[in-house]
Amino acid sequence: MKQKIAFALLMGIVTTGIISFSLISINLGFSNRFINIWLKSWAMAYVIVIPAILLIGPKVQQLVEKVVPNSQS
C-alpha cells in the first residue's frame, strides 16, 4: 500500500508538471509571468490529481484487469 501511495505522489508530480507546463506554454506562451503562472497551476493540479489517483486508480486497475487478460510467459 505504501508503494502505491508513493507511486501516486511521484507520478502526480511528474504528470501534472508536464501537462501544466505544456498547456500554459501553448495557451499563454513564455512571458515574464510564465514561471509564476506555471507553478501556481502545477500546485493546483497536484492538489486535485492526487485524490483522484488514489480514489479512481483502484477502479481503473480493476477495469484494466477485466479488459486485458493476464498472460504469464
Side-chain angles (χ1 to χ4, degrees), residues 38-52:
W38 174 47
L39 291 175
K40 182 178 178 182
S41 296
W42 190 356
M44 290 171 50
Y46 187 74
V47 168
I48 293 167
V49 84
I50 293 306

Side-chain angles (χ1 to χ4, degrees), residues 55-68:
L55 296 172
I56 299 169
K59 296 295 181 187
V60 171
Q61 183 64 42
Q62 289 174 354
L63 178 63
V64 169
E65 289 170 0
K66 287 180 183 179
V67 173
V68 180

Side-chain angles (χ1 to χ4, degrees), residues 9-22 24 34-50:
L9 296 173
L10 291 174
M11 192 59 144
I13 289 171
V14 173
T15 56
T16 56
I18 292 169
I19 295 300
S20 61
F21 181 92
S22 301
I24 291 170
F34 179 83
I35 294 296
N36 289 336
I37 294 169
W38 174 47
L39 291 175
K40 182 178 178 182
S41 296
W42 190 356
M44 290 171 50
Y46 187 74
V47 168
I48 293 167
V49 84
I50 293 306

